Each structure stands twice: as C-alpha cells, then as structure tokens.
Amino acid sequence: MSRTPDTVSKLTESTYKNVMDQFNPGLRNLVNLGKSYEKSVTAMTLAGKVYFEAVSKIGENATLSPVSRELGVVLMEIADAHRKVYNELDENFKRFHKDVINELEKKTEMDVKYMNATFKRYQSEHKVKQDCLERSQTDLKKLRRKSQGKHSSKYEIKENEYMETISSRQMDMQKFIADGCREALLEEKRRFCFLADKHCMFSYQISNFHEKAKDMLSVKLPSWQEKCSDITKVPDTVETMIDGLATTPEQSPLVQRYNRNNVESAVPPPAPPLKAQISPLANMFNPDPRSSLTSSSDHNSDQGSLGDDSLSRSTSMSSGLNVGRKSRVRTIFPHTAGNNDTLLSFDDGDIIALLIQEEKDGWLYGELEKTRQRGWFPSSYCRPYTESVISNSNLSTPVRSLSVVSLPEQDEEGPVLLPPPDYSDVLPSRPAVISTPTSQKTRRESICHGQAETNCHE
C-alpha cells in the first residue's frame, strides 16, 4: 500500500494524538477501575472468611454431638479449605496491585510528558526539513526565471546543483517521515503490548490460583460428600447405646419405688414374738379395747375391730374417690419403737395406712403417712379413721366434670395444617389436615343441614 509523504505524515501525527488523547486517559480510568476492583475483591474475601468462620463454629458445636461428630469435622475442614482459598486470592490481588495497578499508574504519569515531548520534536523537525525543501524549490524557480532568453548554459550548472539539493532534501524528508511514522506506530504498539503483557501475567496468576483452589477443594470433596450421603447412619457406639436402651429399659424411680413397696408390703418383717401391750387408757374409749379394733389370735371366729365389718363400713361412709384405698387408722396414743427396727413410732393423731388387714397377737402392720416409715404397732393404740364427706347438695357452686375442664376450648379454631417436614427430599403433594372439634362440628352441621334440606324437598 503506497501512500504519499503527506498522508504518511498525517498518519504519524494522528498516531501521536491517539496515544495522548485516548490511550493515556483510558489508562488513567483503568487504574481507577482496577483499584475499585481490588477493593471489591478484598471486601468479598473478608465476607467469605467471616462466613466460613461461622461455618467452622457450627462445626465445632457439631463435634460435641455423639452422632454428628463426623459431620462437624467435615464442616470445619470445608471452612478451613475455603479460608485457604481466600488467603490465596488475597495474595494474588496483592500481586495484581503491585504488578499491574502500580505499574500502569507510574507509566501513565511518565508517558504523558514523554509523548508530548516526542510529538513536539517530530513536528519541529518536520517543519525544519519542510522549510529547507521549500527554500531549495523557491531558489530553483528563481534561477530558471533568470536563465530564460539569456545564456542558458551559464545557469545550467547552478540549476543542476539546485536540482541535486532539492532531490537530496526530498529523500531526506521522505526518510524522516517514514522513520517518524514507524516510531509513532511502535510507540503505540509498545504501550498496548505493555498493557496486554501485564494482564497476561495477571491471568496466569489467576489461572494458578484456580488450579490451587481446585486441588484444595477437590481432594477431600468425595470424602466430605460420603460422610453426608447417608442420613440414617449413626456411629457404632451410638448404635450400641440405642440397642442397649431398647433391649434393657431402665425403670423410673417411681416404678422402682412402687415395686419396692409391693415387695415390702408382700413380705413384711416378722411380727414381734410377744403380744402387744394394751394401753392403760384404752378402757376410756372402749370397755373392751380389743373388740372394736383387734382380733385375738386365740379367737378365730372374731375378726376384731379392724376386721372386714368395721373397715368396710368406714370405707362405705367415705366418698367415692376413696374407693380402692388402703384401710387407714388414726392413732390415739403415742408409741415409741425404741431399738426395735420392726416397730413403728408415732404421735397421737397420726394417720397410718394398714398394709396387712389381719392382726397378729395384738400387732398391726402399716405405713405412717407423714414419714412413709413402716412397722408393727399395737392395735389398741388406734381407731378406724374416716374422712369427712362433703355432699354435692351443700355446694353453692356447681363443679364441672373433669372431662369438661380438661378439654381445651377449641370451638373457634379451624383445621390445623401440618407443614411438610424439613430437610426432606420428598415433599407431600398436599398438607395433611387434622380434624378439630370445630371442623367436626362444622361437618356435623353441614350433614344435618343437608338432611334438613332433603326433608324439605321431600
């Protein structure tokens, strides 16, 4: 492609102006955008580190669980791997700031002065050469006007000299324009090469970063995925503990106490070998202290005051809530057991539940209600105990039945919708509905209303 010297000169000037008016301002803008890019990545890495620090904390809590310990370790390893990725990203962007942003900023400030000086030098040299060529051409024209009509041979030698000078200056001018154009184009390309080379280096660093990130994450990723693939799998120690609880359940303290009471009540300690002493004041309450409460072991036909007749009468006089309770007596004299562990100590007015209904040589076996202690005690020291009964007719305020009181009032509630279970891959097609008293009542009303309309139509 051949061009005239003037066209090439214009190309040179436009190349310099393009670098000064477009490339350098664009480079300044690129530096500002690079700084913003660096800040945004720094903020992202900081947020990522904080996020995975929280993931690690949750993993630490999970390690305290016997069934989720392995998953807690997995969460901590995932958080640690991502922290390493973000640390590597930080290092890469530190190099980006040093190798790209700083270099571009420094080159931009220096290049503005350099390109201005280079362009002015080219323009000044081009003007000097252009002026010299034009003067030689002007001198040649003057010489030719003088040589017309006169001794042409006299001016022929000078004309040849001017021609050689003009030709030499034209060649020099063309060479200067060509060299200037080449220099301008190379200056432009040098700057674009610098910019592309810096970003190629940054791209190479980012490529290495992604390779390292891939290695750090993909090495342990299959094992992490395997740990959370089966949600029903539990450690062997936990499985053994659960199986042990399922096969040999531990009884509650209440059950143990109930069993112990049953055993103790079924197998009481033996009765004292001697007959029970009769209280000297027992005749004040009953002339025959034994006839109302005790039954002598020598007279089997008489069941005593604690027999079935008196106790059944006291039980029948009590309210219906007392049905099924053990026979109870109230003490009328204090009694001290002393060093005998099988005897029962009590004060007058205490309530004793009889564990054995039959008397043995004047002794009864029971449990003191206020201390829950058990033992043998003289039958003449107590009398049958009956609770006072309050008639329902004397109550001024009616008492609601237990079933009505215990039922929650749900007359104004609608049907309860059960949400789908969390962390489940299979979602139900529609939520389940639990019928409430309101829904049942509404359904009954609708049935009754439908029957009424059918009867009306009939």
Side-chain angles (χ1 to χ4, degrees):
M1 181 176 65
S2 60
R3 293 187 179 183
T4 61
D6 292 337
T7 305
V8 176
S9 180
K10 291 179 181 180
L11 177 61
T12 303
E13 292 181 357
S14 66
T15 300
Y16 280 113
K17 290 180 180 180
N18 183 34
V19 172
M20 292 186 297
D21 298 339
Q22 295 183 11
F23 181 81
N24 286 336
L27 212 60
R28 289 195 189 95
N29 186 39
L30 197 63
V31 170
N32 295 330
L33 292 176
K35 291 180 179 179
S36 300
Y37 177 38
E38 182 184 4
K39 290 180 180 179
S40 64
V41 173
T42 302
M44 182 197 70
T45 56
L46 180 60
K49 291 178 181 178
V50 173
Y51 174 81
F52 283 102
E53 185 67 26
V55 173
S56 179
K57 293 292 183 182
I58 296 177
E60 290 178 3
N61 294 333
T63 56
L64 302 178
S65 171
V67 71
S68 302
R69 184 178 294 109
E70 292 184 352
L71 295 176
V73 174
V74 168
L75 290 175
M76 294 174 65
E77 290 179 353
I78 291 175
D80 184 64
H82 280 276
R83 279 197 297 265
K84 291 180 180 178
V85 170
Y86 284 120
N87 289 333
E88 189 67 24
L89 187 60
D90 277 340
E91 294 297 326
N92 277 274
F93 268 83
K94 287 179 181 178
R95 290 194 292 268
F96 169 75
H97 180 81
K98 177 182 177 182
D99 299 339
V100 179
I101 302 300
N102 286 346
E103 290 295 325
L104 292 180
E105 191 173 16
K106 183 171 61 176
K107 291 292 184 182
T108 301
E109 297 300 328
M110 297 174 58
D111 195 57
V112 172
K113 298 178 181 179
Y114 175 79
M115 291 303 292
N116 285 329
T118 304
F119 182 56
K120 288 181 179 180
R121 185 190 64 184
Y122 172 81
Q123 286 181 325
S124 61
E125 290 183 1
H126 182 270
K127 189 175 182 304
V128 170
K129 293 182 180 298
Q130 185 69 28
D131 291 342
C132 292
L133 179 61
E134 290 178 355
R135 276 200 307 271
S136 298
Q137 291 176 350
T138 302
D139 293 340
L140 180 59
K141 290 179 181 179
K142 291 180 179 180
L143 182 62
R144 286 179 177 177
R145 284 197 300 268
K146 290 180 180 180
S147 63
Q148 291 179 359
K150 296 182 179 179
H151 302 283
S152 57
S153 60
K154 181 180 177 181
Y155 297 98
E156 185 176 357
I157 297 174
K158 290 184 177 181
E159 184 177 354
N160 291 333
E161 292 177 357
Y162 280 122
M163 289 293 294
E164 291 177 359
T165 302
I166 291 172
S167 177
S168 174
R169 289 181 176 178
Q170 284 180 343
M171 292 296 296
D172 185 51
M173 184 66 177
Q174 290 179 1
K175 185 176 183 304
F176 171 75
I177 292 174
D179 293 340
C181 183
R182 182 184 294 106
E183 184 64 25
L185 294 175
L186 289 178
E187 289 288 349
E188 181 188 64
K189 184 178 181 180
R190 192 177 295 117
R191 280 148 183 80
F192 284 108
C193 282
F194 170 79
L195 184 62
D197 180 67
K198 291 298 180 181
H199 284 85
C200 284
M201 181 174 60
F202 174 66
S203 299
Y204 180 74
Q205 293 173 357
I206 291 295
S207 176
N208 288 338
F209 159 73
H210 286 294
E211 290 293 333
K212 290 182 180 179
K214 180 182 177 182
D215 293 339
M216 285 187 288
L217 294 176
S218 62
V219 170
K220 292 187 177 181
L221 189 57
S223 62
W224 295 340
Q225 192 68 35
E226 183 182 359
K227 293 295 178 59
C228 60
S229 60
D230 188 2
I231 194 174
T232 60
K233 183 179 179 181
V234 295
D236 295 337
T237 56
V238 178
E239 189 71 29
T240 304
M241 179 187 68
I242 294 174
D243 293 341
L245 290 176
T247 54
T248 57
E250 181 180 359
Q251 293 182 347
S252 65
L254 294 177
V255 175
Q256 293 177 357
R257 179 180 176 183
Y258 176 76
N259 294 334
R260 184 176 66 252
N261 292 342
N262 289 341
V263 173
E264 291 177 356
S265 61
V267 185
L274 300 178
K275 291 185 178 181
Q277 59 182 349
I278 300 175
S279 173
L281 300 180
N283 295 328
M284 295 176 59
F285 298 92
N286 193 339
D288 187 5
R290 290 174 171 262
S291 61
S292 61
L293 188 64
T294 64
S295 62
S296 175
S297 61
D298 299 334
H299 301 84
N300 296 328
S301 61
D302 187 6
Q303 298 299 323
S305 60
L306 283 180
D308 296 337
D309 296 337
S310 61
L311 291 178
S312 62
R313 283 198 302 270
S314 64
T315 304
S316 62
M317 292 174 62
S318 63
S319 63
L321 295 177
N322 290 329
V323 175
R325 290 186 178 181
K326 297 178 180 180
S327 301
R328 302 161 76 194
V329 295
R330 181 190 293 275
T331 62
I332 57 176
F333 303 109
H335 179 259
T336 303
N339 297 327
N340 194 339
D341 296 336
T342 61
L343 299 183
L344 183 64
S345 298
F346 50 79
D347 297 327
D348 57 335
D350 290 342
I351 307 299
I352 301 176
L354 297 180
L355 302 179
I356 297 179
Q357 303 295 330
E358 297 181 357
E359 180 185 358
K360 295 183 179 180
D361 294 333
W363 297 97
L364 289 174
Y365 186 76
E367 181 182 67
L368 187 61
E369 290 190 353
K370 68 177 182 180
T371 61
R372 298 300 178 185
Q373 294 180 351
R374 297 182 178 185
W376 295 91
F377 62 94
S379 61
S380 62
Y381 279 54
C382 59
R383 287 293 180 268
Y385 172 71
T386 57
E387 294 178 338
S388 60
V389 180
I390 300 177
S391 177
N392 289 337
S393 60
N394 296 331
L395 296 177
S396 60
T397 303
V399 180
R400 299 177 64 183
S401 64
L402 181 60
S403 60
V404 177
V405 174
S406 61
L407 286 177
E409 296 181 359
Q410 298 179 352
D411 295 340
E412 298 181 358
E413 294 183 0
V416 180
L417 299 180
L418 292 180
D422 293 336
Y423 306 104
S424 177
D425 295 335
V426 180
L427 294 178
S429 58
R430 57 182 180 180
V433 179
I434 297 179
S435 299
T436 60
T438 302
S439 61
Q440 295 175 359
K441 179 180 178 182
T442 305
R443 187 160 55 250
R444 289 196 298 268
E445 290 178 353
S446 62
I447 294 173
C448 294
H449 181 68
Q451 292 176 355
E453 290 183 353
T454 304
N455 295 331
C456 292
H457 287 302
E458 291 177 354

